Amino acid sequence: MRILIFGRVGQLGSALSELLLDAHDLVFLDQPEIDLAKIDTIESHIIKNQPDLVINAAAYTAVDKAESEPDLAQLINASAPSQMAMSCDELHIPFIHFSTDYVFDGRSNHPYTENANVNPEGVYGKTKLAGEQAVAAACRRHVILRTSWLYSHVANNFLKTMLRLAEDKRPLRVVNDQFGSPTFAWDLGSATVAVVDAIESGREDIYGLYHAANSGVTSWCGFAERIFRIHGDIVDLSGIPTSEYPTPAPRPAYSVLSCDRLRDVLDFSMPSWEDALSRCLARL
Ligand SMILES: NC(=O)c1ccc[n+]([C@@H]2O[C@H](COP(=O)([O-])OP(=O)(O)OC[C@H]3O[C@@H](n4cnc5c(N)ncnc54)[C@H](OP(=O)(O)O)[C@@H]3O)[C@@H](O)[C@H]2O)c1
């Protein structure tokens, strides 16, 4: 298939460029060729490239900065995917989009299913939810994959920050009362390949919303501890409550995603976060 992908240089875009390359004709669009804040340029790019499928791997992902740039976050996370979805629907092209565990307020104590009530508390989560809703309303053949705590060996993320801080050899205090599932961008990429394969095979029963996160649960401190253990870093690490690490944007205290629908409909099971972390660190 000829696949148009918005965003190659981010974590997910990097994974998709590797995982889809052999089997498909890929076209990537990045800045400066396209600025997703300029909504009215999106449709002409889609028409010009004549794709069989469009994937949006781009997003405004600066969770704290979004609190002071709500209009830009809304443009990139909601208005741009809305336009992509409308154009895809008009052109009868399926559309794959990504969202986040931050659409939840974190007050649950059991994994969120796709049907669970959403209630984002920060600007980033609100704009991502607006994007989900606009995509679902505009494009009949859409797939939205919600993921959580995304990291990889490329681009900026929690894993890279921890490895950098470990080099300082100073005591490190990391939040231990937020629980979720760290997700290796390459595993989210593999889940996306399963969606692409299903679309290519002509299945019409796969459209809609899915959760796609590595399985298992930990805290940010537990994630850091495992990173240092596998990587062989000796770090004086201690856990602290969220109240001792205030951030501009609130984070859900619990954002574990149930991925049963992905397994049941697409026959794709997400590996455990511990296994994923080992594979990621092996690529550094
Ligand atoms: N990171 C996480 O922890 C996390 C968690 C849950 C869900 N998600 C979701 O997962 C998806 C992938 O996230 P990611 O971590 O791979 O993102 P990322 O590494 O931050 O990459 C974001 C991508 O969006 C592009 N982009 C941003 N602003 C743009 C603009 N104005 N015009 C064109 N391109 C623009 C970036 O390109 P430039 O670098 O050129 O700006 C980059 O390619 C997103 O939908 C995100 O919301 C992420």
Side-chain angles (χ1 to χ4, degrees):
M1 280 199 292
R2 183 170 171 80
I3 307 177
L4 174 62
I5 302 177
F6 289 95
R8 180 188 204 139
V9 297
Q11 304 191 81
L12 176 62
S14 302
L16 293 177
S17 68
E18 184 180 306
L19 296 168
L20 291 168
L21 184 67
D22 288 343
H24 300 283
D25 173 17
L26 304 183
V27 182
F28 285 93
L29 280 174
D30 283 288
Q31 302 192 80
E33 195 180 357
I34 188 163
D35 177 358
L36 291 178
K38 296 182 179 139
I39 309 299
D40 52 1
T41 64
I42 291 172
E43 182 155 63
S44 61
H45 279 285
I46 296 177
I47 291 171
K48 189 175 76 185
N49 283 291
Q50 299 191 314
D52 304 305
L53 168 68
V54 174
I55 301 178
N56 180 27
Y60 182 110
T61 55
V63 174
D64 288 320
K65 206 170 165 202
E67 297 295 314
S68 54
E69 290 186 336
D71 294 343
L72 183 59
Q74 178 75 13
L75 270 179
I76 295 166
N77 288 344
S79 309
S82 173
Q83 179 58 61
M84 292 173 198
M86 279 191 277
S87 302
C88 286
D89 199 63
E90 275 164 29
L91 298 164
H92 307 289
I93 304 167
F95 178 51
I96 303 176
H97 179 63
F98 299 88
S99 189
T100 172
D101 54 329
Y102 284 21
V103 298
F104 297 115
D105 61 22
R107 294 195 187 98
S108 178
N109 53 15
H110 55 271
Y112 287 100
T113 67
E114 291 81 355
N115 296 326
N117 287 338
V118 286
N119 184 29
E121 297 205 315
V123 168
Y124 170 73
K126 286 179 181 159
T127 61
K128 291 295 292 183
L129 178 61
E132 284 185 10
Q133 291 170 338
V135 166
C139 181
R140 275 158 290 191
R141 294 169 77 216
H142 72 270
V143 170
I144 299 168
L145 296 170
R146 278 189 194 138
T147 193
S148 63
W149 297 23
L150 206 62
Y151 70 91
S152 67
H153 48 290
V154 301
N156 293 322
N157 54 64
F158 180 85
L159 167 87
K160 301 283 280 296
T161 302
M162 289 300 115
L163 294 178
R164 195 179 63 244
L165 291 173
E167 287 175 10
D168 294 346
K169 307 280 179 211
R170 286 204 295 254
L172 202 53
R173 290 155 25 107
V174 178
V175 169
N176 66 359
D177 60 356
Q178 291 170 25
F179 296 93
S181 309
T183 301
F184 181 25
W186 260 247
D187 287 349
L188 177 61
S190 295
T192 310
V193 172
V195 175
V196 171
D197 289 347
I199 290 172
E200 191 172 32
S201 72
R203 278 185 67 181
E204 291 293 333
D205 62 330
I206 54 104
Y207 292 103
L209 176 64
Y210 295 85
H211 288 172
N214 279 130
S215 63
V217 187
T218 190
S219 67
W220 290 109
C221 188
F223 186 25
E225 191 271 328
R226 180 68 71 130
I227 292 168
F228 298 141
R229 193 183 334 152
I230 300 176
H231 196 245
D233 295 308
I234 310 291
V235 178
D236 178 1
L237 174 69
S238 52
I240 53 165
T242 301
S243 56
E244 288 183 27
Y245 188 74
T247 51
R251 264 70 171 170
Y254 178 93
S255 63
V256 179
L257 303 175
S258 163
C259 300
D260 290 356
R261 179 160 193 249
L262 187 71
R263 182 200 59 208
D264 295 346
V265 178
L266 286 156
D267 196 23
F268 189 88
S269 294
M270 294 294 286
S272 75
W273 73 267
E274 294 99 328
D275 170 74
L277 178 58
S278 297
R279 283 184 282 112
C280 178
L281 284 169
R283 296 187 61 147
L284 276 171

